[in-house]
Amino acid sequence: MRAEDQAPFVKKLLLHLGASLTDSIRDLIPIIGVIAFFQLIVLRQPIPDFGNLLGGVVMVVVGLTLFVHGLKTGLFPIGESMAHSFASKGSMFWLLLFAFALGFGTTIAEPALIAVADEAARVAATGGMIANTQYATSEYASGLRLTVALSVGFAIAVGVMRIIRGWPIHYLIIGGYIGVVIMTFFAPPEIIGIAYDSGGVTTSTITVPLVTALGVGLATSIHGRNPLTDGFGLIAFASLTPMIFVMLYGVILL
Amino acid sequence: MTGLVNFFDILIATIRDVLPIAIILFGFQMLVLRRRMANLRQVLIGFVFVILGLAFFLQGLEQALFPLGKLMAQQLTAPEFLGLDETAGAAEAHWQQYLWLYLFAAAIGFSTTIAEPSLIAVAIKANQVSGGAVGTWGLRIAVAIGVAIGIALGSYRIVSGTPLHYYIIAGYIVVIIQTLYTPKTIIALAYDSGGVTTSTVTVPLVTALGLGLATNIPGRNPLLDGFGLIAFASLFPIMAVMAYAQLGEWQARRIKQRRLREMEN
């Protein structure tokens, strides 16, 4: 790209970022308002280290702006273009393997999951569920992570299968709910809270856009599927199966 | 200076998180699909934006909002603030004493959901795919209201000490009934919105709130009662989004009926 071509490109990019900067500020006003209200009026305490706080808020705004831009130019296009390529390749095996790998790979390293698994292991050790040793807790935490990652991989693969076949989503979800309820009666009570929570923490900020773009892309490429009705739903599976799998882990282990 | 070092650490951590995803994507692209991507340059630049954006976002949250939010969750659940003395049991504490706490729970649930990047992503896509029928803000506000109700009710559950699975099973029954009466096109999106709400911004603050409550309220065990708020925050948005769709449909029907009446006159 020559220098004179680059100038309008940069200008367009800056204009675009400027517009989404105001969106990001608007997105953050509620959280700032809530914290200010409770700190100043309910708890009646001054805001500590105001300069630092302001700096942090500016970083959050800049970060959100850059992320949303990257989302539209990077994550969405690659998710959709790969969905189209898989649909035209027509190999179910590779598509399902890709879906599983995407679910498993993005979850195993998910920081929120690592935090929750460590916390769960710590709590389990102090509660006497497992031996209070370094080895036992780290075994327990990594077992939990592996279980959740396997279940998310499985969920995305089943979800992709559903889009291809055009199964109505609510039968599968209701089936999953029944699975959760049945497992609740068999699982040790200590693991139920963690199991229910693990459904929510699996889907990270990078996974969600990619998986959404994959689903919508597949539903767009396959004849007879509606992107709105059939394209969404992958995240729903990914937040349901970990509950069942983690309770199963509890039944087997404890 | 420490801020810069911190930022660098977070940047490295973000790259490490994105790396396995990038390997899977580009690995399948090159080895299985064996096709050059049409706009590879733009996608790669997009990834750089995503990594930088997330690093800034996380650094800012950890520098500013998380310490304050977690401190506030602790202060609002502290026995002195709740007016519990050591001798009084939980049964004697009235729910009014916890009013500020429930309000905080709802407000923090609502506001963190509005700032949640993955919800922004789903809202953008849903708006695009539905041809504008699903409004970005309508969806986000519906989800945020769902999370607010969920976190407040989840806090009430910890305070009252009732078993988690009763609430969740009751919630499932409501979701199943709502599914029967909701426009088909929105069902998958509604189910999805349960999972996307609890992510980068919401989880740390809500976890701090739950563990603070379970630790401070007499008779509660952090192991049994501290978890479960995330589950509430993932269940209630499903109901809220379906309710939003039902409301939209009902309104459209009313307008249509009014038009028909006007035409008859």
Side-chain angles (χ1 to χ4, degrees):
Chain A
M1 208 186 269
R2 289 200 315 268
E4 52 263 42
D5 294 336
Q6 212 135 20
F9 172 75
V10 171
K11 197 177 160 199
K12 221 171 89 183
L13 179 71
L14 285 179
L15 271 177
H16 187 84
L17 286 179
S20 35
L21 199 65
T22 42
D23 286 346
S24 304
I25 293 171
R26 208 175 41 194
D27 295 337
L28 285 163
I29 284 175
I31 195 166
I32 293 166
V34 167
I35 287 191
F37 175 78
F38 277 88
Q39 184 77 357
L40 298 174
I41 296 179
V42 180
L43 292 166
R44 286 164 209 260
Q45 273 163 15
I47 304 246
D49 203 355
F50 187 73
N52 193 27
L53 189 74
L54 199 67
V57 170
V58 169
M59 286 184 108
V60 172
V61 169
V62 169
L64 196 58
T65 307
L66 295 179
F67 175 79
V68 171
H69 182 75
L71 190 81
K72 289 176 182 164
T73 57
L75 294 183
F76 280 161
I78 195 175
E80 279 181 23
S81 112
M82 289 188 78
H84 292 307
S85 307
F86 271 115
S88 60
K89 189 178 166 71
S91 159
M92 187 74 137
F93 169 77
W94 284 113
L95 176 57
L96 290 182
L97 190 71
F98 173 69
F100 180 85
L102 195 62
F104 183 88
T106 54
T107 309
I108 194 86
E110 166 62 29
L113 177 64
I114 296 174
V116 168
D118 288 345
E119 181 65 32
R122 203 179 56 77
V123 172
T126 44
M129 272 165 71
I130 53 173
N132 200 352
T133 59
Q134 182 80 41
Y135 177 73
T137 50
S138 76
E139 272 294 274
Y140 181 82
S142 48
L144 208 58
R145 271 171 62 193
L146 195 66
T147 308
V148 174
L150 278 173
S151 68
V152 174
F154 172 74
I156 305 287
V158 170
V160 161
M161 190 86 175
R162 172 204 147 241
I163 295 175
I164 294 169
R165 296 266 187 258
W167 296 330
I169 185 165
H170 48 277
Y171 294 135
L172 290 166
I173 295 289
I174 292 172
Y177 283 172
I178 294 171
V180 170
V181 174
I182 291 172
M183 284 309 297
T184 304
F185 289 108
F186 293 103
E190 291 85 0
I191 208 155
I192 291 177
I194 297 159
Y196 282 10
D197 272 3
S198 67
V201 296
T202 49
T203 42
S204 80
T205 316
I206 303 163
T207 322
V208 167
L210 275 175
V211 164
T212 306
L214 176 72
V216 168
L218 276 175
T220 316
S221 325
I222 296 170
H223 186 71
R225 298 284 168 272
N226 175 330
L228 188 59
T229 321
D230 303 301
F232 287 92
L234 290 177
I235 309 288
F237 288 118
S239 20
L240 189 57
T241 51
M243 300 195 214
I244 303 172
F245 276 53
V246 169
M247 285 194 273
L248 199 65
Y249 177 70
V251 169
I252 292 168
L253 197 77
L254 304 169
Chain B
M1 198 54 215
T2 49
L4 203 65
V5 175
N6 255 336
F7 178 72
F8 197 67
D9 285 345
I10 289 188
L11 188 63
I12 298 282
T14 312
I15 292 174
R16 214 176 43 212
D17 293 342
V18 176
L19 207 59
I21 301 173
I23 291 173
I24 292 168
L25 290 177
F26 291 106
F28 271 89
Q29 182 72 35
M30 286 189 296
L31 300 176
V32 179
L33 294 171
R34 286 185 204 167
R35 205 182 286 183
R36 247 190 82 82
M37 279 200 55
N39 37 13
L40 186 65
R41 221 176 75 102
Q42 185 211 328
V43 166
L44 287 178
I45 295 174
F47 263 83
V48 173
F49 270 101
V50 164
I51 291 172
L52 276 177
L54 268 184
F56 270 114
F57 191 71
L58 292 175
Q59 162 79 12
L61 286 178
E62 271 173 30
Q63 184 180 324
L65 296 175
F66 285 167
L68 198 56
K70 284 178 186 168
L71 189 70
M72 287 168 68
Q74 279 163 17
Q75 285 172 337
L76 285 166
T77 53
E80 304 84 61
F81 182 82
L82 294 173
L84 303 172
D85 38 71
E86 311 259 317
T87 48
E92 289 155 60
H94 289 293
W95 66 271
Q96 285 99 329
Q97 284 177 295
Y98 297 95
L99 193 62
W100 279 123
L101 181 77
Y102 295 144
L103 267 178
F104 177 72
I108 209 81
F110 183 89
S111 57
T112 52
T113 306
I114 293 289
E116 201 63 83
S118 30
L119 180 59
I120 298 178
V122 168
I124 292 173
K125 202 86 236 172
N127 184 44
Q128 215 177 59
V129 163
S130 68
V134 178
T136 342
W137 275 97
L139 181 70
R140 286 170 64 191
I141 288 174
V143 172
I145 290 174
V147 175
I149 297 172
I151 305 279
L153 197 65
S155 307
Y156 171 74
R157 182 196 77 82
I158 297 178
V159 169
S160 64
T162 30
L164 172 65
H165 55 273
Y166 291 169
Y167 289 84
I168 300 296
I169 292 172
Y172 283 171
I173 293 171
V174 174
V175 168
I176 292 172
I177 294 171
Q178 270 186 304
T179 303
L180 302 174
Y181 297 100
T182 305
K184 288 275 165 296
T185 44
I186 212 84
I187 291 176
L189 181 62
Y191 287 160
D192 263 6
S193 61
V196 298
T197 50
T198 44
S199 196
T200 330
V201 198
T202 319
V203 171
L205 288 180
V206 165
T207 311
L209 183 69
L211 287 174
L213 270 174
T215 315
N216 288 322
I217 292 184
R220 297 291 163 272
N221 171 357
L223 178 59
L224 285 172
D225 305 302
F227 293 93
L229 282 181
I230 307 287
F232 274 86
S234 324
L235 185 58
F236 280 79
I238 303 181
M239 299 179 205
V241 171
M242 288 204 272
Y244 165 67
Q246 283 166 315
L247 213 66
E249 206 189 34
W250 178 72
Q251 215 170 20
R253 209 164 37 220
R254 246 180 35 154
I255 292 170
K256 215 160 108 190
Q257 275 169 351
R258 200 186 308 153
R259 287 238 178 87
L260 274 175
R261 262 203 307 271
E262 275 166 14
M263 265 172 19
E264 279 167 12
N265 291 342

Coordinates of all heavy atoms in Angstrom, one line a residue, chain B residues 153-219:
Chain B
L153 N -32.5 -11.9 43.2 CA -33.2 -13.1 43.7 C -32.1 -14.1 44.3 O -32.4 -14.7 45.3 CB -34.0 -13.8 42.6 CG -35.1 -14.8 43.1 CD1 -36.1 -14.1 43.9 CD2 -35.7 -15.5 41.9
G154 N -31.0 -14.2 43.5 CA -30.0 -15.1 44.0 C -29.4 -14.7 45.3 O -29.1 -15.5 46.2
S155 N -29.3 -13.3 45.5 CA -28.8 -12.8 46.8 C -29.8 -13.2 47.9 O -29.5 -13.5 49.0 CB -28.6 -11.3 46.8 OG -27.8 -11.0 45.7
Y156 N -31.1 -13.0 47.6 CA -32.2 -13.3 48.5 C -32.1 -14.8 48.9 O -32.2 -15.2 50.1 CB -33.5 -13.0 48.0 CG -34.7 -13.6 48.8 CD1 -35.0 -13.0 50.0 CD2 -35.3 -14.7 48.5 CE1 -36.0 -13.5 50.8 CE2 -36.3 -15.3 49.3 CZ -36.7 -14.6 50.4 OH -37.6 -15.2 51.3
R157 N -31.8 -15.7 47.9 CA -31.6 -17.1 48.2 C -30.5 -17.4 49.2 O -30.6 -18.1 50.1 CB -31.3 -17.9 46.9 CG -31.2 -19.4 47.2 CD -30.6 -20.1 46.0 NE -29.1 -19.9 46.0 CZ -28.3 -20.6 46.7 NH1 -28.7 -21.5 47.5 NH2 -27.0 -20.4 46.7
I158 N -29.4 -16.6 49.0 CA -28.3 -16.9 50.0 C -28.6 -16.4 51.4 O -28.4 -17.1 52.4 CB -27.0 -16.1 49.5 CG1 -26.5 -16.7 48.1 CG2 -25.9 -16.2 50.5 CD1 -25.3 -16.1 47.5
V159 N -29.3 -15.2 51.4 CA -29.7 -14.7 52.7 C -30.7 -15.6 53.4 O -30.6 -15.9 54.6 CB -30.3 -13.3 52.6 CG1 -31.0 -12.8 53.9 CG2 -29.3 -12.3 52.1
S160 N -31.7 -16.1 52.6 CA -32.7 -17.0 53.2 C -32.3 -18.4 53.4 O -32.9 -19.2 54.2 CB -34.0 -16.9 52.4 OG -33.8 -17.5 51.1
G161 N -31.2 -18.8 52.7 CA -30.7 -20.1 52.8 C -31.5 -21.3 52.2 O -31.4 -22.4 52.6
T162 N -32.3 -20.9 51.2 CA -33.1 -22.0 50.6 C -32.3 -22.7 49.5 O -31.4 -22.1 48.9 CB -34.4 -21.4 49.9 OG1 -34.1 -20.0 49.5 CG2 -35.6 -21.4 50.9
P163 N -32.6 -23.9 49.2 CA -31.7 -24.7 48.3 C -31.8 -24.1 46.9 O -32.9 -23.8 46.4 CB -32.3 -26.1 48.3 CG -33.2 -26.2 49.5 CD -33.6 -24.8 49.8
L164 N -30.6 -24.1 46.2 CA -30.5 -23.5 44.9 C -31.4 -24.2 43.9 O -32.0 -23.6 43.0 CB -29.0 -23.6 44.5 CG -28.6 -23.3 43.1 CD1 -28.9 -21.8 42.8 CD2 -27.1 -23.6 42.8
H165 N -31.4 -25.6 44.0 CA -32.1 -26.3 42.8 C -33.6 -26.1 42.8 O -34.2 -26.2 41.7 CB -31.7 -27.7 42.8 CG -32.0 -28.5 44.1 ND1 -31.1 -28.5 45.1 CD2 -33.0 -29.2 44.5 CE1 -31.6 -29.2 46.1 NE2 -32.8 -29.6 45.8
Y166 N -34.2 -25.7 43.9 CA -35.6 -25.4 43.8 C -35.9 -24.2 42.8 O -36.8 -24.2 42.0 CB -36.2 -25.0 45.2 CG -36.3 -26.1 46.1 CD1 -36.5 -25.9 47.5 CD2 -36.1 -27.4 45.7 CE1 -36.6 -27.0 48.4 CE2 -36.1 -28.5 46.6 CZ -36.4 -28.3 47.9 OH -36.4 -29.3 48.8
Y167 N -35.1 -23.2 43.0 CA -35.2 -22.0 42.2 C -34.9 -22.3 40.7 O -35.6 -21.9 39.8 CB -34.2 -20.9 42.6 CG -34.6 -20.2 43.9 CD1 -34.2 -20.8 45.1 CD2 -35.3 -19.0 44.0 CE1 -34.5 -20.2 46.3 CE2 -35.6 -18.4 45.2 CZ -35.2 -19.1 46.4 OH -35.5 -18.5 47.6
I168 N -33.9 -23.1 40.5 CA -33.4 -23.3 39.1 C -34.5 -24.2 38.5 O -34.9 -24.0 37.3 CB -32.1 -24.0 39.1 CG1 -31.0 -23.1 39.7 CG2 -31.7 -24.4 37.7 CD1 -30.8 -21.8 39.0
I169 N -35.0 -25.2 39.2 CA -36.0 -26.1 38.5 C -37.3 -25.3 38.3 O -37.9 -25.4 37.2 CB -36.3 -27.3 39.5 CG1 -35.0 -28.2 39.5 CG2 -37.5 -28.1 39.0 CD1 -35.1 -29.3 40.5
A170 N -37.7 -24.4 39.2 CA -38.9 -23.6 39.0 C -38.6 -22.7 37.7 O -39.5 -22.5 36.9 CB -39.2 -22.7 40.2
G171 N -37.4 -22.1 37.7 CA -37.0 -21.3 36.5 C -37.2 -22.1 35.2 O -37.7 -21.6 34.2
Y172 N -36.7 -23.3 35.2 CA -36.8 -24.2 34.0 C -38.2 -24.3 33.6 O -38.5 -24.3 32.4 CB -36.2 -25.5 34.3 CG -34.6 -25.6 34.3 CD1 -34.0 -26.7 34.7 CD2 -33.9 -24.5 33.9 CE1 -32.6 -26.8 34.7 CE2 -32.5 -24.5 33.9 CZ -31.9 -25.7 34.3 OH -30.5 -25.7 34.3
I173 N -39.1 -24.5 34.6 CA -40.5 -24.8 34.2 C -41.1 -23.5 33.6 O -41.8 -23.6 32.5 CB -41.3 -25.2 35.5 CG1 -40.8 -26.6 35.9 CG2 -42.8 -25.2 35.2 CD1 -41.3 -27.0 37.3
V174 N -40.7 -22.3 34.1 CA -41.2 -21.1 33.5 C -40.7 -20.9 32.1 O -41.4 -20.6 31.2 CB -40.8 -19.9 34.4 CG1 -41.1 -18.6 33.7 CG2 -41.4 -19.9 35.8
V175 N -39.4 -21.3 31.9 CA -38.8 -21.1 30.6 C -39.5 -22.1 29.6 O -39.8 -21.6 28.5 CB -37.3 -21.5 30.6 CG1 -36.7 -21.7 29.2 CG2 -36.5 -20.4 31.3
I176 N -39.8 -23.3 30.0 CA -40.5 -24.2 29.1 C -41.9 -23.7 28.7 O -42.3 -23.7 27.6 CB -40.6 -25.6 29.7 CG1 -39.1 -26.2 29.8 CG2 -41.4 -26.6 28.9 CD1 -39.0 -27.5 30.6
I177 N -42.6 -23.2 29.7 CA -43.9 -22.7 29.4 C -43.9 -21.5 28.5 O -44.6 -21.4 27.5 CB -44.7 -22.3 30.7 CG1 -45.0 -23.5 31.6 CG2 -46.0 -21.5 30.4 CD1 -45.5 -23.3 33.0
Q178 N -42.9 -20.6 28.8 CA -42.7 -19.4 27.9 C -42.4 -19.8 26.5 O -42.9 -19.2 25.5 CB -41.6 -18.5 28.4 CG -42.1 -17.4 29.4 CD -41.0 -16.5 29.8 OE1 -39.9 -17.0 30.2 NE2 -41.2 -15.2 29.6
T179 N -41.6 -20.9 26.3 CA -41.2 -21.3 25.0 C -42.4 -21.6 24.1 O -42.4 -21.3 22.9 CB -40.3 -22.6 25.1 OG1 -39.2 -22.3 26.0 CG2 -39.8 -23.1 23.8
L180 N -43.4 -22.2 24.8 CA -44.6 -22.5 24.0 C -45.3 -21.3 23.4 O -46.0 -21.4 22.4 CB -45.6 -23.3 24.9 CG -45.1 -24.6 25.5 CD1 -46.1 -25.1 26.5 CD2 -44.8 -25.6 24.4
Y181 N -45.2 -20.1 24.1 CA -45.9 -19.0 23.6 C -45.1 -17.9 23.0 O -45.5 -16.8 22.7 CB -46.7 -18.4 24.8 CG -47.7 -19.3 25.4 CD1 -47.4 -20.1 26.5 CD2 -48.9 -19.5 24.8 CE1 -48.3 -21.0 27.0 CE2 -49.9 -20.4 25.3 CZ -49.6 -21.1 26.4 OH -50.5 -22.0 26.9
T182 N -43.8 -18.2 22.8 CA -42.9 -17.2 22.2 C -42.8 -17.3 20.7 O -42.8 -18.5 20.2 CB -41.5 -17.3 22.9 OG1 -41.7 -17.2 24.3 CG2 -40.6 -16.2 22.4
P183 N -42.7 -16.2 19.9 CA -42.4 -16.4 18.5 C -41.2 -17.3 18.2 O -40.2 -17.1 18.8 CB -42.2 -14.9 18.0 CG -42.5 -14.0 19.2 CD -42.8 -14.8 20.4
K184 N -41.4 -18.2 17.3 CA -40.4 -19.2 17.1 C -39.0 -18.6 16.7 O -38.0 -19.2 17.1 CB -40.8 -20.1 15.9 CG -41.9 -21.1 16.2 CD -41.4 -22.4 16.8 CE -42.5 -23.2 17.4 NZ -43.1 -22.5 18.6
T185 N -39.0 -17.5 16.0 CA -37.7 -17.0 15.5 C -36.8 -16.5 16.7 O -35.6 -16.5 16.5 CB -38.0 -15.8 14.6 OG1 -39.0 -14.9 15.3 CG2 -38.5 -16.2 13.3
I186 N -37.4 -16.2 17.8 CA -36.6 -15.6 18.9 C -36.1 -16.7 19.9 O -35.2 -16.4 20.7 CB -37.4 -14.5 19.6 CG1 -36.5 -13.4 20.1 CG2 -38.2 -15.1 20.8 CD1 -36.2 -12.4 19.0
I187 N -36.6 -17.9 19.8 CA -36.3 -18.9 20.9 C -34.8 -19.1 21.0 O -34.2 -19.1 22.1 CB -37.1 -20.2 20.6 CG1 -38.6 -19.9 20.8 CG2 -36.6 -21.3 21.6 CD1 -39.4 -21.1 20.5
A188 N -34.1 -19.4 19.9 CA -32.7 -19.8 20.0 C -31.9 -18.6 20.6 O -31.0 -18.8 21.4 CB -32.2 -20.1 18.6
L189 N -32.2 -17.4 20.1 CA -31.5 -16.2 20.6 C -31.8 -16.0 22.1 O -30.8 -15.7 22.8 CB -32.1 -15.0 19.8 CG -31.4 -13.6 20.2 CD1 -29.9 -13.6 19.9 CD2 -32.1 -12.5 19.4
A190 N -33.0 -16.3 22.5 CA -33.3 -16.1 24.0 C -32.5 -17.1 24.8 O -31.9 -16.8 25.8 CB -34.8 -16.3 24.2
Y191 N -32.4 -18.4 24.3 CA -31.6 -19.4 25.0 C -30.1 -19.0 25.1 O -29.4 -19.2 26.1 CB -31.7 -20.8 24.4 CG -33.1 -21.4 24.6 CD1 -33.5 -22.4 23.7 CD2 -33.9 -21.1 25.6 CE1 -34.7 -23.1 23.9 CE2 -35.1 -21.7 25.8 CZ -35.5 -22.7 25.0 OH -36.7 -23.4 25.1
D192 N -29.6 -18.4 24.0 CA -28.3 -18.0 23.9 C -27.9 -16.9 24.9 O -26.9 -16.8 25.5 CB -27.9 -17.5 22.5 CG -27.3 -18.6 21.7 OD1 -27.2 -19.7 22.1 OD2 -26.8 -18.2 20.5
S193 N -28.9 -16.0 25.1 CA -28.6 -14.8 25.9 C -28.4 -15.2 27.3 O -27.8 -14.4 28.1 CB -29.8 -13.8 25.8 OG -31.0 -14.4 26.3
G194 N -28.8 -16.4 27.7 CA -28.5 -16.9 29.1 C -27.0 -17.1 29.3 O -26.4 -16.7 30.3
G195 N -26.3 -17.6 28.2 CA -24.9 -17.9 28.4 C -24.0 -16.7 28.2 O -22.9 -16.7 28.7
V196 N -24.4 -15.7 27.4 CA -23.5 -14.7 27.1 C -23.4 -13.6 28.2 O -22.4 -12.8 28.2 CB -23.8 -13.9 25.8 CG1 -23.7 -14.9 24.6 CG2 -25.2 -13.3 25.8
T197 N -24.3 -13.6 29.1 CA -24.3 -12.5 30.0 C -23.2 -12.5 31.0 O -22.7 -11.5 31.5 CB -25.6 -12.5 30.8 OG1 -25.7 -13.9 31.3 CG2 -26.8 -12.2 30.0
T198 N -22.8 -13.7 31.4 CA -21.9 -13.8 32.5 C -20.5 -14.0 31.9 O -20.1 -15.2 31.6 CB -22.2 -15.0 33.4 OG1 -22.6 -16.1 32.6 CG2 -23.4 -14.6 34.2
S199 N -19.7 -13.0 31.9 CA -18.4 -13.0 31.2 C -17.5 -12.1 32.0 O -17.6 -12.0 33.2 CB -18.6 -12.7 29.8 OG -17.5 -13.1 29.0
T200 N -16.6 -11.5 31.2 CA -15.5 -10.7 31.8 C -15.8 -9.8 32.9 O -15.1 -9.7 33.9 CB -14.9 -9.9 30.6 OG1 -15.0 -10.6 29.4 CG2 -13.4 -9.6 30.9
V201 N -16.9 -9.0 32.7 CA -17.2 -7.9 33.7 C -18.0 -8.5 34.9 O -17.8 -8.1 36.0 CB -18.0 -6.8 33.0 CG1 -17.9 -5.5 33.9 CG2 -17.5 -6.5 31.6
T202 N -19.0 -9.3 34.6 CA -20.0 -9.7 35.6 C -19.4 -10.7 36.6 O -19.6 -10.6 37.8 CB -21.2 -10.3 34.9 OG1 -21.5 -9.5 33.7 CG2 -22.4 -10.3 35.8
V203 N -18.7 -11.7 36.1 CA -18.3 -12.9 36.9 C -17.5 -12.4 38.2 O -17.9 -12.8 39.3 CB -17.6 -14.0 36.1 CG1 -17.0 -15.0 37.0 CG2 -18.6 -14.6 35.2
P204 N -16.4 -11.6 38.0 CA -15.7 -11.3 39.2 C -16.5 -10.6 40.3 O -16.4 -10.9 41.5 CB -14.5 -10.4 38.7 CG -14.4 -10.7 37.3 CD -15.8 -11.1 36.8
L205 N -17.3 -9.6 39.8 CA -18.0 -8.8 40.8 C -19.1 -9.6 41.5 O -19.3 -9.6 42.7 CB -18.6 -7.6 40.1 CG -17.6 -6.5 39.8 CD1 -18.3 -5.3 39.1 CD2 -16.9 -6.0 41.0
V206 N -19.8 -10.4 40.7 CA -20.9 -11.2 41.2 C -20.4 -12.3 42.2 O -21.0 -12.6 43.2 CB -21.7 -11.8 40.1 CG1 -22.6 -12.9 40.5 CG2 -22.5 -10.7 39.4
T207 N -19.2 -12.9 41.8 CA -18.6 -13.9 42.7 C -18.2 -13.3 44.0 O -18.5 -13.9 45.1 CB -17.4 -14.6 42.0 OG1 -17.8 -14.9 40.7 CG2 -16.9 -15.8 42.7
A208 N -17.7 -12.1 44.0 CA -17.3 -11.5 45.2 C -18.5 -11.2 46.1 O -18.5 -11.4 47.3 CB -16.6 -10.1 44.9
L209 N -19.6 -10.8 45.5 CA -20.9 -10.6 46.2 C -21.4 -11.9 46.9 O -21.7 -11.9 48.0 CB -21.9 -10.0 45.2 CG -23.2 -9.6 45.8 CD1 -23.1 -8.4 46.7 CD2 -24.2 -9.3 44.7
G210 N -21.4 -12.9 46.1 CA -21.9 -14.2 46.6 C -21.1 -14.7 47.8 O -21.6 -15.1 48.8
L211 N -19.7 -14.7 47.6 CA -18.9 -15.2 48.6 C -18.9 -14.3 49.9 O -18.9 -14.8 51.0 CB -17.4 -15.4 48.1 CG -17.3 -16.6 47.2 CD1 -15.9 -16.6 46.6 CD2 -17.6 -17.9 47.8
G212 N -19.0 -13.0 49.7 CA -19.1 -12.1 50.8 C -20.4 -12.4 51.6 O -20.4 -12.5 52.8
L213 N -21.5 -12.6 50.9 CA -22.8 -12.9 51.6 C -22.7 -14.2 52.3 O -23.0 -14.3 53.5 CB -23.9 -13.0 50.5 CG -24.6 -11.8 50.2 CD1 -25.6 -12.1 49.0 CD2 -25.4 -11.3 51.4
A214 N -22.2 -15.2 51.7 CA -22.2 -16.6 52.3 C -21.2 -16.6 53.5 O -21.4 -17.4 54.4 CB -21.8 -17.6 51.3
T215 N -20.2 -15.8 53.4 CA -19.2 -15.8 54.6 C -19.8 -15.0 55.8 O -19.6 -15.4 56.9 CB -17.9 -15.1 54.1 OG1 -17.5 -15.7 52.8 CG2 -16.8 -15.4 55.1
N216 N -20.5 -13.9 55.5 CA -20.9 -13.0 56.6 C -22.2 -13.4 57.2 O -22.5 -13.0 58.4 CB -20.9 -11.6 56.1 CG -19.5 -11.0 55.9 OD1 -18.6 -11.4 56.6 ND2 -19.3 -10.3 54.8
I217 N -23.1 -13.9 56.5 CA -24.4 -14.2 57.1 C -24.4 -15.4 57.9 O -23.9 -16.5 57.5 CB -25.5 -14.3 55.9 CG1 -25.6 -12.9 55.4 CG2 -26.8 -14.8 56.5 CD1 -26.6 -12.7 54.3
P218 N -24.8 -15.3 59.2 CA -24.7 -16.4 60.1 C -25.5 -17.6 59.6 O -26.6 -17.5 59.0 CB -25.3 -15.9 61.4 CG -25.9 -14.6 61.1 CD -25.4 -14.1 59.8
G219 N -24.9 -18.8 59.7 CA -25.6 -20.0 59.3 C -25.3 -20.4 57.8 O -25.9 -21.4 57.4

